[in-house]
Amino acid sequence: MIDFYGFNTANGQKVAVMLEESGLPYTFKYLDMMKGAHLTDDYKRINPIGKMPAIVDHDGPGGKPLALFETLAISAYLAEKSGKLWPQEPLEKALAMEWATVTPANLNVAFNVHFIIKTRTKGDHAEVTDYYTSQVHRLMAVFDQRLGEAPYLAGKTYSYADVQLYPVVVVSVAALDDGLGPYANVRAWIDRVGARPAVQKGMSVIVEGTPKS
Ligand SMILES: N[C@@H](CCC(=O)N[C@@H](CS)C(=O)NCC(=O)O)C(=O)O
């Protein structure tokens, strides 16, 4: 059994979708970030950097419990463990890891800075905003080109790389002035990925598991 510590953001949704796609049994544990649950000593024993999400696999390697954080590490672990969304063919396996890394290492960062400047800072940060806006568009254009060459990020195979990107685009598109207008290949891919029952379920798991106050 896997414990999934989550809150309703794109990073939480990545793990929820991966768990649904993997078919592995899991329990959702609501992490109340509004109350600082991610910064407690107990949670930091699972994720020492105090960020959401994290998992504990009680049946980890060697039958021992494994606590894991970082969405990319969690996604790759779940994909390999379940054999789902884990390309076998060597080229697609390498490309899956490459494209899976682009989202957390680049696109998440650009959208996050954008969001934080808009919601948490005062004063004029036009240069920083412009820089990260251009980063977002540069990356979206690269994803769009890739998804024009192949149906999925790794190539022919739907993989954990697609799950890294999907919630980020769906959630953060509101920050783009023209939405997904310029990115027709990303739009078509969103329709393909979003039609999957496991993706639909994963995108709603956290909201469903969040206590109503
Ligand atoms: N690189 C991390 C990013 C995780 C992350 O930034 N999580 C946010 C919520 S979406 C968080 O925990 N923020 C709280 C904080 O930074 O204190 C991953 O991919 O898991």
Side-chain angles (χ1 to χ4, degrees):
M1 180 62 76
I2 295 171
D3 291 336
F4 161 37
Y5 294 84
F7 185 79
N8 197 32
T9 72
N11 279 320
Q13 288 164 349
K14 291 177 191 177
V15 172
V17 171
M18 271 311 299
L19 283 161
E20 288 296 327
E21 290 280 14
S22 75
L24 296 168
Y26 74 96
T27 305
F28 175 63
K29 307 255 182 190
Y30 175 63
L31 190 71
D32 192 347
M33 296 184 72
M34 304 308 280
K35 292 194 177 145
H38 55 302
L39 300 173
T40 60
D41 290 344
D42 277 354
Y43 182 69
K44 282 189 179 169
R45 277 189 274 280
I46 296 167
N47 182 345
I49 64 171
K51 291 191 185 257
M52 184 286 305
I55 63 165
V56 176
D57 182 358
H58 293 282
D59 182 26
K64 297 194 177 133
L66 169 70
L68 211 54
F69 60 97
E70 286 293 327
T71 56
L72 175 54
I74 296 168
S75 300
Y77 174 77
L78 295 175
E80 187 173 26
K81 176 167 177 146
S82 65
K84 307 268 177 65
L85 280 60
W86 185 247
Q88 294 298 310
E89 193 271 320
L91 176 64
E92 295 215 349
K93 192 174 197 169
L95 294 182
M97 181 53 83
E98 175 185 69
W99 285 103
T101 308
V102 178
T103 298
N106 299 276
L107 189 65
N108 271 127
V109 176
F111 272 128
N112 282 353
V113 176
H114 215 261
F115 176 75
I116 284 165
I117 287 176
K118 274 197 173 168
T119 58
R120 296 204 202 155
T121 63
K122 297 190 180 83
D124 183 12
H125 299 281
E127 283 171 16
V128 186
T129 308
D130 287 353
Y131 174 76
Y132 281 102
T133 303
S134 74
Q135 286 290 305
V136 164
H137 285 291
R138 174 170 149 187
L139 292 159
M140 289 299 297
V142 171
F143 280 119
D144 197 64
Q145 185 179 344
R146 173 64 184 155
L147 292 168
E149 295 163 358
Y152 298 106
L153 289 170
K156 290 195 279 298
T157 317
Y158 172 61
S159 77
Y160 65 99
D162 299 289
V163 178
Q164 278 288 313
L165 181 62
Y166 179 83
V168 177
V169 173
V170 169
V171 169
S172 301
V173 65
L176 303 175
D177 286 343
D178 298 325
L180 288 178
Y183 307 115
N185 298 320
V186 173
R187 287 202 315 268
W189 167 87
I190 284 202
D191 290 345
R192 274 197 298 285
V193 174
R196 296 177 64 85
V199 172
Q200 291 167 8
K201 175 87 172 101
M203 292 299 282
S204 63
V205 152
I206 301 176
V207 170
E208 284 164 13
T210 300
K212 315 282 175 268
S213 51

